[in-house]
Each structure stands twice: as structure tokens, then as C-alpha cells.
Amino acid sequence: MTQLTKGDKAPDFSGFDQDNKMHQLSDYAGKKLVVFFYPKASTPGCTAEACDLRDNFARFEANNYALLGVSADAQAKQAKFKDKYNFPFPLLADEDKSVIEAFGVWGPKKFMGRTYDGIHRTTFIIDENGIIDEVISDVKTKVHASQILK
């Protein structure tokens, strides 16, 4: 896993969301961008995290933030997740893991004594000029918005 840190230039990513709309870093120039990576749509932790961000969306907008969720789920699964919980932000369906790998959040994980490769729940806050302002690797799913909007 590569580890991006504060001050690094954000990867020049591109990917399609749940509605097959292309998103890339340059689309967000002039805005602060929160890119949050989550392991799997509609699982308890990922749902709690995304719902907390949804519930605080007006605060993000008021502070010039755009939000973008990313997982390796298929577009149909991302669309179902977004619709079920009424998320006001897009969810990238990064099935080929190009965005996930560009940000260095794919790698070995442990669960119940088993090691496997997966997405590490990580959030990147990117400033208006495409520079990483903060990396949050210890995500608190139920209060994630307060970790970002300090």
C-alpha cells in the first residue's frame, strides 16, 4: 500500500458513479473534496458512516465541501445503496480498483484471525488546489462528519 500524506498532491483519479456519470479530480477544482473509501455498500459500518455524512451534508455544503464515496461495489449495488438511504452525494463504483489503488487504500486486512485483501476505511480531505489537507485512517463511522468538520 502506498501511503499518501498531508501536503501530497491528490491522485488525478477518474471513475464512474452509480448513474454512470464520470467524476475526476479536476471536476472539484475550487472546492474542498472529501473522498471517503468504504469496504462494502449496505454493511452496518459503511451505512452508519455514509448516513452520518448525509445527515451533516448541509454543513459540508456551507463550508464549500463536495463529498464522494468510493468502494469496489458494482454500479447497481451503489445505486441501490444511494437510493435506499437518500445520499445527496455520488458513490463511485470502482470495480477495477483504479481509484482505490491510486489512493493506496487496498491491502491486507485481518478479521477473525483471517487475513485477506480489502479496502481500508480511509477518508482524504483535498483542498481547493488538489493538495491533500488531511488523511483520516481511524474513521469513527457514527461521528465521521465531526472528524472532518472540526
Side-chain angles (χ1 to χ4, degrees):
M1 278 180 27
T2 60
Q3 196 50 49
L4 295 169
T5 58
K6 179 180 173 80
D8 289 346
K9 184 162 178 24
D12 190 15
F13 69 87
S14 64
F16 291 96
D17 71 10
Q18 73 287 337
D19 298 323
N20 206 35
K21 179 178 184 278
M22 170 70 81
H23 293 264
Q24 52 196 23
L25 181 61
S26 59
D27 296 340
Y28 299 95
K31 277 189 144 336
K32 293 177 259 190
L33 176 62
V34 175
V35 182
F36 66 100
F37 291 89
Y38 57 95
K40 197 168 180 71
S42 296
T43 55
C46 298
T47 301
E49 177 183 11
C51 285
D52 180 59
L53 297 174
R54 174 202 64 203
D55 294 347
N56 288 279
F57 190 68
R59 290 176 57 207
F60 284 107
E61 283 192 312
N63 288 288
N64 197 35
Y65 282 95
L67 276 71
L68 186 60
V70 184
S71 78
D73 293 302
Q75 282 181 324
K77 188 158 185 180
Q78 296 287 49
K80 191 174 175 185
F81 187 41
K82 184 179 192 295
D83 292 346
K84 181 176 182 179
Y85 295 100
N86 199 26
F87 297 138
F89 42 80
L91 302 174
L92 288 191
D94 192 26
E95 291 183 88
D96 68 358
K97 301 180 190 70
S98 61
V99 179
I100 291 162
E101 289 176 350
F103 279 85
V105 297
W106 181 263
K109 297 173 73 166
K110 278 190 179 195
F111 182 68
M112 295 178 69
R114 190 173 67 91
T115 302
Y116 62 98
D117 282 343
I119 296 172
H120 290 260
R121 186 184 310 276
T122 310
T123 297
F124 295 85
I125 303 168
I126 302 167
D127 74 12
E128 298 86 343
N129 302 307
I131 303 300
I132 296 172
D133 194 40
E134 188 176 356
V135 179
I136 303 170
S137 54
D138 183 22
V139 172
K140 308 283 188 235
T141 58
K142 291 183 170 93
V143 293
H144 193 36
S146 65
Q147 287 182 285
I148 300 164
L149 295 166
K150 297 181 205 116

